[in-house]
Amino acid sequence: MPLLRLENLELHYGNLALLDGVDFTIRKGEKVGLLGRNGAGKTTFLNVVAGAIQVDSGERWVRPGTRIAWLKQALPAATDDSVYDIVAAGLAEAGELLARYHHMVSGDAEPDMAALARVQEKLEAIDGWTLQTRVETTLSQLGLDGDVRMSTLSGGWRRRVALAQALVSEPDILLMDEPTNHLDIPAIEWLEQQLRAYEGALVLITHDRRFLQNVANVMAELDRGYLTTWVGDYQGFLRHREQELEAEERANALFDKKLAAEETWIRQGIKARRTRNEGRVRALKAMRRERSERRERTGKADFSLESAGRSGKRVAEVENISKAYDGRCVIRDFSTVIQRGDRIGIVGANGAGKSTLVKMLLGELEPDSGTVKLGTKLEVAYSDQLRGELDPEKTLMDNVCAGAEFIEINGRRRHAIAYLGDFLFAPDRARQPVKALSGGEQNRAVLARLFTRPANLLVLDEPTNDLDMETLELLEDILLNFDGTVLLVSHDRDFMDNVVTSLLVLDGAGNVDERVGDYSDWVRSGGSLSAGGSGEPTEKTPADNVKVPESAPKPAPKRRLSYNEKRELDALPAEIEALEAEQAELAARMAEPGFFAAGEAQTKPVAERLARVQARLEEAFERWGELES
C-alpha cells in the first residue's frame, strides 16, 4: 500500500514550470534516487513531498499516521546547544521534555526536585521513557556523545547529528538532500549500510554516483518540469535514459520535418486557404503551438582550463616531512616526488591531515622537520581558497569576472555573460547575488572563477559537492585532458577512479601510504580507511564505536552461471546488434519524405514494430547486465 501519492501536481515560478502534471508514488521499502540538473527543482520537489510548499494545483495524499523526516542539505548551526538537545528535537514536544530532563539529571548542580517531578510526570503521560531509550540508542549507533556542544564539532560530525535527528523519530519516509556532503569515506560507507538496512521509504538527492548505485532501487528524474521513474539501479537507468533521449530526438526530428513540409505547403498560395483545406490549416496551427511549447533539454556545461606555461619536470620534492598539533602527529616522515602530469588523489578520514599535507606541498605551511622543494614555473590554482572568496552580496558576474564586461580566456577575449553561459548560467542569473544561487550553482561559480586563472598545478578540495551528474562528467574529461599536475582531495570514490593515477592515503596516525592506481585498485589490494589506510593501527575515534545494525545485509556471494545462462549470455551481443540495426532501419524509413502521407495502414505497422524493437532492446540490455554481474 502506498505511503504517499502525488497526482497531477502543477507548480510554476513565473514562466518557469518546475512541476508540470507530476505523478509520484512511494511505497514502503522503496529507496528513490532523485536526479536532475542543478536548478531543475529537486529540493523544491522534496519540499512538496514533505508538505512544506503548497503547489498551484494537484493532490497530495499521505497515508494516515505516516511520519516524514527530512535531512536537509544545510548543516545544523555550530551553537552552544548540546548534541542531545539537537537529536531530541526530532521528537518535537517530547524531545523538549527529554532534553530538559537530561540536563536536570546530568548537570553538576543538584536539580530542583519539584521541577524534576513535574517533567517526569509529563514524560510518563506520553510514554517518554521509551522515547528516551530511542534517543540514547540512536546516539550510540551514530557514535555521538550527547553532552558535546555543537560548536566543537566538525562539519562531518554535525552531519551525523542531523542524521540522528532525522532517524530518531523512526520515520516511515526519510527525505535526504545531499547526505554525503562533509562526510569522509568511512562515514559514507557506514551510511550506505544503514540505509540499505533501513526498512522505511527513502527519497534522496546526491551527487555521489557510487552511493546512489549502492543505495537506491528506484530512479526518478526531474527534467523540464516532468518526472519520470524507473525501477532499477543507477547504471541500468543510465542505459534506459540514453535510449529514451535518442527516441525523443528522433520523434522531434520527425515532427520538425513534417512541420517544415506543412509550412512549405501553406506558403504555396491561395489553394492552401480553400475551404476544403481548412482542416489542414487548423492542424498546422496546432503543430505550431505544440512546437512553441516544446521544452528543450538544457545543454551541457562547456568550459575549459586556461593553461599556463609548462612547469618544471619536478613539481615538488618532499623529504622526511613531519607535522604535529598539540602533541598529535598528523604527518610522520613522509617523502615523495611529484612530477609534471601526475594526478594524485589524497584520501583519509576527516581530521587525518589532508588539508595540512596539501598546504605543506604548496609551501603554505612549514613542516616541523624535513624539507619541501617546489619546482620552477609553477602557476597554482587552489579551489578551496576561492570558495571562501565568493562574496554572497555581490553578483555572480562581479565575483567571477571582477565586474568586467569582457574577460580573457586562453588568449581569447570573451564577453562575461557568454563565459558564464558555458557554466549554464542564464544572463539573468549572472546579475543576481551569489546568495540567491543554489549550492550546485555556487560550486559552478567556484569552478568558473578558478578556470579564469592560468594554471599548471590544480589543487581541488571537494570539487564535486552539489554538482549535477553531467557537469561532474565534463569536469572529469577536463582534468583527464589537462596537461598540468592535479592534486585532488575528495570523498567521491567514482570521481577519483575516473581521474587520479595514484593515491596518498592518510591513516590518521601520521602515516602516508603512496599507491599507484585509483581508489578501487587500492581497495581491491586490501586497503580500507575504516581499518587504517595503510594497514597500520590508527588512533581510536568516536567513529570506531559506531554500531551497524545486525539486520544490515551481507553482500551475496556471486553464483556461477548455469549452462543455459552461459548460452544466453553468449547470444545476447548478436541479438542486441541485430535489434539496433533494425531500430536504425525503421527510424530511417520513418524519416523518409512522404512516409506519413502514405496513410495509417502503412505507417502504423512500422511505428508499432519500432516500439516493440525498442522494448526488446531495453530488455536485452537489462538481461545482459544481470548475467554479466
Side-chain angles (χ1 to χ4, degrees), residues 230-493:
W230 189 82
V231 178
D233 61 15
Y234 175 63
Q235 293 300 325
F237 169 77
L238 290 180
R239 294 190 293 269
H240 167 75
R241 183 177 62 176
E242 191 66 28
Q243 295 167 11
E244 290 292 309
L245 291 176
E246 289 175 1
E248 180 183 339
E249 289 175 6
R250 285 194 299 271
N252 286 342
L254 290 172
F255 180 91
D256 293 344
K257 192 169 186 177
K258 184 177 180 182
L259 176 59
E262 292 299 289
E263 293 288 3
T264 301
W265 167 80
I266 198 69
R267 289 176 175 81
Q268 285 178 347
I270 194 65
K271 291 187 298 181
R273 294 186 290 277
R274 289 178 183 172
T275 303
R276 59 190 176 90
N277 288 323
E278 282 184 359
R280 190 170 177 181
V281 174
R282 285 195 298 270
L284 173 58
K285 290 180 179 178
M287 291 179 70
R288 287 173 174 171
R289 185 166 56 253
E290 181 179 347
R291 179 62 183 87
S292 67
E293 292 174 353
R294 182 192 301 170
R295 294 176 201 158
E296 301 292 350
R297 185 171 176 83
T298 305
K300 290 187 176 182
D302 182 16
F303 47 85
S304 59
L305 281 166
E306 181 172 5
S307 299
R310 299 181 76 185
S311 67
K313 186 174 181 180
R314 289 201 172 184
V315 173
E317 187 172 348
V318 180
E319 186 172 352
N320 298 326
I321 62 171
S322 297
K323 190 70 178 178
Y325 292 106
D326 299 325
R328 174 176 171 257
C329 185
V330 179
I331 307 293
R332 178 187 296 113
D333 293 330
F334 172 58
S335 300
T336 190
V337 175
I338 300 175
Q339 302 197 57
R340 183 180 64 233
D342 285 349
R343 295 195 299 274
I344 301 172
I346 301 175
V347 298
N350 286 337
K354 301 186 294 296
S355 296
T356 298
L357 176 59
V358 168
K359 288 176 181 178
M360 286 196 291
L361 294 178
L362 295 179
E364 294 183 2
L365 185 65
E366 287 291 327
D368 295 338
S369 61
T371 59
V372 177
K373 295 179 182 178
L374 295 178
T376 58
K377 302 179 181 178
L378 287 181
E379 294 284 347
V380 181
Y382 189 7
S383 67
D384 186 61
Q385 293 173 332
L386 295 178
R387 190 169 302 167
E389 291 177 11
L390 287 180
D391 188 336
E393 300 300 327
K394 290 184 177 180
T395 67
L396 175 63
M397 194 168 165
D398 288 339
N399 270 287
V400 175
C401 308
E405 189 173 349
F406 290 89
I407 188 169
E408 190 166 314
I409 303 293
N410 283 327
R412 292 173 51 215
R413 193 164 179 261
R414 300 195 60 197
H415 198 282
I417 296 295
Y419 175 69
L420 291 172
D422 293 344
F423 292 80
L424 300 183
F425 289 112
D428 60 327
R429 299 296 275 176
R431 294 183 173 89
Q432 288 186 343
V434 164
K435 65 182 181 182
L437 304 180
S438 68
E441 288 174 321
Q442 289 188 21
N443 216 21
R444 270 194 271 128
V446 170
L447 293 177
R449 183 165 179 169
L450 179 72
F451 293 168
T452 62
R453 304 185 175 189
N456 50 36
L457 173 56
L458 192 61
V459 184
L460 299 174
D461 191 350
E462 290 296 344
T464 64
N465 282 355
D466 307 317
L467 292 181
D468 56 45
M469 304 298 188
E470 289 85 353
T471 308
L472 271 179
E473 291 168 1
L474 179 61
L475 180 58
E476 289 173 354
D477 290 340
I478 289 172
L479 295 180
L480 289 174
N481 294 320
F482 180 52
D483 58 4
T485 308
V486 177
L487 298 180
L488 172 66
V489 179
S490 180
H491 298 138
D492 189 322
R493 294 156 291 177

Side-chain angles (χ1 to χ4, degrees), residues 34-47 205 222 468:
L34 183 59
L35 308 175
R37 288 289 183 85
N38 293 142
K42 300 187 296 295
T43 300
T44 300
F45 182 73
L46 284 192
N47 272 285
I205 300 170
L222 192 59
D468 56 45

